[in-house]
């Protein structure tokens, strides 16, 4: 990932049309391998892949102040779908959820620090929301038009989203009838920061799409499976919505990386800052003990046959593990859920 200066000229922004923000992938054969594949190899991507991974701090800022996530609902969203996602975000800081919990998973993210030794914030809360149900920028978005959607949300004449560059994260969620550049073919979500020349501010943001209609077998796996894998049965999603349950893990992936690498110059592995390998990239596809390659790891099932690996406040979720730089392997909530 390019380390882009905060102040960007119009020419610089035009050049960044070819930049690929930090992304959330799914491990399928027809996709381009991500940087973690190149770094440690598919056969080495398991919980204890410490020999090949060197997560380093590059002196950039991380989110040590209380984190507020402002959400933009782009397109048509059902109330039930919004509830699943809101409750996931509210579960990140919940202290009373059953274990293994989302809050326990976040404790691994909290291990990362800034230059002063201050840790990532424990507190993550749901902030203001903005509905863009009439597709203000159309149903096909580019990486740059995503920033224009964010600009519309923070500069709206009525109820604009608050501007909070230091501890605010902006989550753009697109409905299942919206296509985004590289969606399904290369990415299921990505994060970056807005350009002042477009938005007026440098704001860390993430985009995640609902893949239910476009590519559930890629971005909602294991609740849907690709057509080229006949005989493999999908698992039952914990909240009864394949697209949204698939989004949850990608949202967790991107929020964890935004907290530890908001301006793409803090925590990442690899030698090339153009393609940083971040704390969730290193654990792509790992949801439980023994996970790696195409195996998710050991998961949990409820009495209705739904599959999950963590508890939220009132719901169950399936969320991928993240890289623990202290012990140099992927960890889930059980490791720190005390």
């Amino acid at each position: 990932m390019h380390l882009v200066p905060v102040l960007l000229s119009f020419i610089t922004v035009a050049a960044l049309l070819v930049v690929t923000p930090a992304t959330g992938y799914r491990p399928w054969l027809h996709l381009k391998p991500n940087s973690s594949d190149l770094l440690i190899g598919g056969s080495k991507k398991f919980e204890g892949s410490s020999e090949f991974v060197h997560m380093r701090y590059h002196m950039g800022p991380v989110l040590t102040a209380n984190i507020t996530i402002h959400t933009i609902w782009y397109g048509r969203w059902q109330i039930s779908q919004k509830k699943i996602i809101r409750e996931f975000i509210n579960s990140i800081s919940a202290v009373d959820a059953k274990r293994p919990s989302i809050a326990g998973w976040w404790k691994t993210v909290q291990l990362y620090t800034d230059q002063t030794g201050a840790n990532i914030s424990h507190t993550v809360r749901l902030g203001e929301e903005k509905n863009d149900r009439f597709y203000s920028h159309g149903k096909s978005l580019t990486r740059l038009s995503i920033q224009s959607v964010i600009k519309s949300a923070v500069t709206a004449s009525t109820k604009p989203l608050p501007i909070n560059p230091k501890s605010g994260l902006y989550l753009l969620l697109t409905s299942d009838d919206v296509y985004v550049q590289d969606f399904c073919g290369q990415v299921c979500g990505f994060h970056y920061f807005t350009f002042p020349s477009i938005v007026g501010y440098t704001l860390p943001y993430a985009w995640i799409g609902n893949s239910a209609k476009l590519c559930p077998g890629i971005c909602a796996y294991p609740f849907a499976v690709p057509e080229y894998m006949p005989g493999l049965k999908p698992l039952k999603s914990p909240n009864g919505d394949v697209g949204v349950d698939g989004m949850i893990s990608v949202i967790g992936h991107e929020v964890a990386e935004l907290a530890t690498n908001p301006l793409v110059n803090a925590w990442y592995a690899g030698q090339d800052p153009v393609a940083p390998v971040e704390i969730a990239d290193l654990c792509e596809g790992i949801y439980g003990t023994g996970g790696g390659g195409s195996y998710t790891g050991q998961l949990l099932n409820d009495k209705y046959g739904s599959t999950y690996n963590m508890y939220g406040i009132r719901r169950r979720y399936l969320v991928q593990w993240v890289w623990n730089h202290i012990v140099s392997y992927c960890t889930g909530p059980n490791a720190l859920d005390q």
Side-chain angles (χ1 to χ4, degrees):
M1 185 60 57
H2 285 301
L3 303 181
V4 185
V6 172
L7 297 177
L8 297 167
S9 67
F10 176 80
I11 294 175
T12 303
V13 171
L16 283 166
L17 280 166
V18 298
V19 170
T20 302
T23 55
Y25 291 82
R26 284 293 179 267
W28 301 119
L29 297 178
H30 72 289
L31 300 182
K32 295 180 180 179
N34 64 13
S35 299
S36 62
D37 291 325
L38 298 175
L39 182 66
I40 61 180
S43 64
K44 295 293 186 181
K45 193 185 290 183
F46 60 97
E47 329 161 35
S49 53
S50 58
E51 180 182 354
F52 298 93
V53 177
H54 301 285
M55 179 65 65
R56 293 194 302 116
Y57 179 51
H58 298 266
M59 307 307 288
V62 300
L63 300 185
T64 58
N66 291 348
I67 300 168
T68 302
I69 298 178
H70 303 295
T71 308
I72 302 169
W73 303 96
Y74 192 87
R76 303 293 178 89
W77 288 89
Q78 299 174 18
I79 293 175
S80 60
Q81 294 177 320
K82 290 183 176 181
K83 283 184 177 180
I84 294 169
I85 293 172
R86 287 173 182 148
E87 289 185 20
F88 170 71
I89 294 171
N90 284 328
S91 295
I92 294 175
S93 296
V95 295
D96 53 354
K98 186 177 178 180
R99 298 169 183 168
S101 68
I102 301 294
W105 165 82
W106 186 255
K107 288 181 180 179
T108 297
V109 181
Q110 287 181 257
L111 295 174
Y112 290 83
T113 60
D114 65 8
Q115 297 181 48
T116 69
N119 293 83
I120 300 291
S121 176
H122 162 268
T123 302
V124 180
R125 71 179 189 89
L126 190 62
E128 301 297 319
E129 299 183 355
K130 194 71 177 174
N131 292 301
D132 196 333
R133 62 177 62 91
F134 298 114
Y135 311 90
S136 63
H137 290 73
K139 290 188 176 183
S140 182
L141 303 176
T142 66
R143 293 178 185 274
L144 284 185
S145 65
I146 278 177
Q147 299 210 15
S148 296
V149 173
I150 296 172
K151 177 183 179 181
S152 297
V154 299
T155 60
S157 57
T158 57
K159 297 183 179 180
L161 291 184
I163 294 171
N164 188 354
K166 292 186 177 180
S167 61
L169 301 182
Y170 296 79
L171 200 60
L172 174 59
L173 306 177
T174 51
S175 57
D176 60 12
D177 56 349
V178 177
Y179 175 74
V180 174
Q181 180 182 353
D182 297 326
F183 191 22
C184 298
Q186 295 182 32
V187 299
C188 300
F190 61 74
H191 75 88
Y192 208 54
F193 53 88
T194 61
F195 305 143
S197 54
I198 296 178
V199 180
Y201 306 89
T202 300
L203 305 173
Y205 75 91
W207 158 77
I208 297 94
N210 186 336
S211 66
K213 292 181 179 179
L214 296 173
C215 57
I218 296 172
C219 293
Y221 178 84
F223 305 126
V225 297
E227 294 179 357
Y228 56 82
M229 299 179 72
L232 182 63
K233 295 183 179 180
L235 301 179
K236 186 177 180 181
S237 66
N239 297 291
D241 190 308
V242 168
V244 174
D245 276 318
M247 290 179 72
I248 291 297
S249 189
V250 187
I251 291 172
H253 178 126
E254 301 302 339
V255 170
E257 292 182 346
L258 275 170
T260 55
N261 199 26
L263 300 182
V264 202
N265 61 357
W267 285 95
Y268 63 87
Q271 302 301 316
D272 187 0
V274 174
V277 184
E278 301 172 277
I279 72 167
D281 296 329
L282 290 169
C283 305
E284 185 65 59
I286 297 177
Y287 298 88
T289 300
S294 61
Y295 175 54
T296 57
Q298 296 177 17
L299 305 178
L300 302 171
N301 293 101
D302 64 18
K303 62 182 180 180
Y304 303 105
S306 300
T307 301
Y308 64 99
N309 66 346
M310 301 180 200
Y311 291 94
I313 300 171
R314 287 175 292 272
R315 297 176 182 267
R316 299 173 174 89
Y317 296 99
L318 184 69
V319 185
Q320 73 157 84
W321 289 8
V322 291
W323 187 257
N324 183 327
H325 73 291
I326 303 297
V327 295
S328 293
Y329 55 78
C330 300
T331 55
N334 286 328
L336 297 169
D337 211 352
Q338 303 296 327

